[in-house]
Amino acid sequence: MSLVSLAIRAQRALEKTSVFEGIAPLLLRLYLAPIMIQAGWTKLGSFENTVDWFASTEYGLGLPAPALLASLAIAAELLGGVFILIGLATRWASIPLMFTMLVAAFSVHWPNGWSAIADASSWLSDGTIMLNENVMSAPDKLAAAKSLLQEHGNYNWLTSSGKFVVLNNGIEFAMTYFFMLLSLFFTGGGKFTSVDHFLRKKFMFD
């Protein structure tokens, strides 16, 4: 059997896996939905503080009509998260969520660079791509904090739930969620794994 024949057979076998193509968007949905729902639920649970943060020019976003915009963000995250979870109107639901992620990335996290966690060893912060002074000084600050806690606190108890880190609060998470939502925008909820698929099949939207 020639190499070409083997390649053709391998390609045909690979194409048969397309019956499972709905698994990838399903996994994206199952990952994203709880994050979006929790974000919306948290904002709703402290609505006054959320509105205050949207409005403040000193420590918040400084946006106009903060109550309206906060309500829209909550609706996008709560309702959009539920829709994405079950795969209903997935592409439509992803649009306001993508917009929300972009607003978060560029109005809140952008000044902090890419990294969510301050990792001075990362080429994303050490000057290879860009220099982030706050990240580069994080190890010294973390070492000082550990020293104080070890001397004056019960360090083993304090770290029993996990190690201390310095949060950089960069755009990493917001943009990762944006890219995942963008993928869902193009793929939809998924073949055989979403409400969208069965509605499309029933009403012959294609």
Side-chain angles (χ1 to χ4, degrees):
M1 185 178 294
S2 69
L3 185 60
V4 173
S5 298
L6 283 173
I8 292 173
R9 290 193 176 190
Q11 181 62 32
R12 287 174 179 171
L14 188 63
E15 288 173 355
K16 290 180 180 180
T17 65
S18 64
V19 70
F20 302 111
E21 65 187 24
I23 292 177
L26 171 64
L27 294 176
L28 287 179
R29 286 167 32 223
L30 293 177
Y31 183 92
L32 282 168
I35 295 170
M36 299 301 143
I37 294 170
Q38 180 61 59
W41 186 256
T42 300
K43 290 183 179 70
L44 181 62
S46 54
F47 184 72
E48 291 184 1
N49 292 334
T50 301
V51 172
D52 184 53
W53 182 64
F54 271 58
S56 177
T57 56
E58 296 181 7
Y59 54 83
L61 300 179
L63 298 174
L68 174 62
L69 293 179
S71 299
L72 291 174
I74 291 169
E77 291 172 338
L78 275 179
L79 297 179
V82 171
F83 282 8
I84 283 177
L85 179 63
I86 63 176
L88 176 61
T90 306
R91 298 182 70 188
W92 287 106
S94 68
I95 295 173
L97 287 172
M98 283 192 291
F99 180 76
T100 302
M101 293 303 104
L102 288 176
V103 170
F106 293 105
S107 66
V108 179
H109 305 290
W110 180 257
N112 301 321
W114 173 263
S115 299
I117 303 298
D119 180 6
S121 65
S122 171
W123 56 273
L124 293 168
S125 304
D126 66 2
T128 303
I129 299 297
M130 63 181 295
L131 181 63
N132 188 322
E133 296 291 351
N134 288 331
V135 173
M136 298 309 294
S137 63
D140 292 335
K141 296 175 182 177
L142 188 58
K146 286 181 178 179
S147 177
L148 288 170
L149 291 171
Q150 287 169 344
E151 182 177 354
H152 301 289
N154 187 341
Y155 190 74
N156 289 333
W157 177 78
L158 289 170
T159 57
S160 61
S161 297
K163 295 181 179 180
F164 288 110
V165 298
V166 176
L167 183 65
N168 182 55
N169 209 24
I171 68 172
E172 180 178 357
F173 289 158
M175 291 308 299
T176 299
Y177 300 151
F178 171 80
F179 295 140
M180 295 170 75
L181 289 162
L182 184 64
S183 177
L184 287 177
F185 175 76
F186 287 111
T187 65
K191 188 176 181 181
F192 301 124
T193 62
S194 66
V195 174
D196 288 337
H197 169 77
F198 294 102
L199 287 176
R200 186 180 299 112
K201 188 175 180 180
K202 180 177 178 63
F203 296 105
M204 301 294 291
F205 289 148
D206 289 339

